[in-house]
């Protein structure tokens, strides 16, 4: 899978400057700068056309575009990710966990998008910090899990994609402001960059770990004879 990360620029900036810079990729991932704040009220009334522009750009590039944004649902704010595939808007995924006090609240459920590039699981921002999030997407047969993050303040997001990829046997990618990275299923970072536009390739491979745990009653007492 050929993937292109846009870590700093907005969708409109890339469209206005040179769209060829992100062409020839199966998947293009924009961080939260991609669309900024999107108001559902303005989108529905036609005042803004952020989602339409995203879908049209994905059609023009003949690729999947994944773009972070903050959504305003009539005064309810969420961190969200929009997915479009070759001209079709597939859906919007909201962050499922709200940490500490924040004006951004939790939203919809996790989702794996069946796209022309493969089955892509989406993690939004701090959902990455909850191991069960990646586990759910892996169990839903995701070929790759992509997390869009606001801004990195430490190394925890990178640690979490490595741990998630290793424990679930699915490659994970991270896109944040001025940073992107990919971990393979062995938990090894195969690409990390602070570039504005970064192209890379991800090998789709899966590994399933057989896990067993000791349960009470299945083993004889240590002091009993054999």
């Amino acid at each position: 899978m050929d993937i292109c990360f846009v870590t700093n620029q907005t969708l409109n900036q890339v469209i206005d400057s040179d769209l060829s810079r992100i062409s020839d990729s199966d998947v293009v991932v924009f961080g939260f700068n991609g669309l900024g704040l999107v108001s559902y009220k303005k989108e529905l009334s036609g005042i803004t056309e952020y989602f339409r522009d995203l879908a049209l750009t994905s059609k023009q590039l003949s690729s999947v575009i994944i773009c972070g944004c903050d959504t305003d649902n009539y005064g309810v704010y969420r961190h969200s990710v929009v997915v479009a595939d070759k001209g079709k808007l597939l859906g919007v995924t909201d962050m499922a966990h709200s940490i500490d006090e924040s004006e951004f609240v939790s939203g919809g459920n996790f989702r794996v998008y069946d796209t022309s590039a493969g089955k892509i699981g989406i993690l939004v921002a701090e959902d990455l910090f909850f191991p069960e999030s990646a586990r759910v997407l892996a169990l839903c047969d995701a070929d790759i899990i992509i997390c869009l993050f606001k801004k990195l303040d430490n190394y925890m997001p990178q640690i979490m994609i490595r741990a998630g990829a290793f424990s679930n046997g699915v490659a994970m990618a991270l896109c944040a402001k001025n940073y992107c990275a990919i971990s393979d299923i062995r938990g090894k970072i195969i690409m990390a960059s602070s570039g504005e536009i970064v192209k890379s390739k991800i090998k789709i491979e899966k590994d399933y770990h057989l896990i067993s745990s000791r349960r009470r009653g299945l083993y004889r007492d240590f002091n009993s004879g054999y």
Side-chain angles (χ1 to χ4, degrees), residues 19-41:
L19 204 57
S20 65
R21 292 185 299 163
I22 62 172
S23 62
D24 301 323
S25 297
D26 301 314
V27 180
V28 181
V29 184
F30 285 81
F32 277 87
N33 289 340
L35 293 180
L37 178 64
V38 179
S39 166
Y40 283 123
K41 181 179 180 179

Side-chain angles (χ1 to χ4, degrees), residues 35-100:
L35 293 180
L37 178 64
V38 179
S39 166
Y40 283 123
K41 181 179 180 179
K42 292 181 179 179
E43 286 287 295
L44 291 173
S45 62
I47 297 175
T48 61
E49 296 181 329
Y50 290 113
F51 291 168
R52 173 180 174 274
D53 291 344
L54 186 70
L56 289 177
T57 304
S58 72
K59 182 178 182 180
Q60 186 175 351
L61 294 174
S62 189
S63 63
V64 179
I65 297 185
I66 300 169
C67 193
C69 63
D70 292 327
T71 51
D72 174 6
N73 189 3
Y74 294 86
V76 179
Y77 295 92
R78 295 185 174 95
H79 297 313
S80 308
V81 171
V82 190
V83 181
D85 185 7
K86 295 184 177 180
K88 182 179 180 180
L89 188 67
L90 298 185
V92 180
T93 295
D94 299 323
M95 186 172 72
H97 299 89
S98 182
I99 301 177
D100 300 326

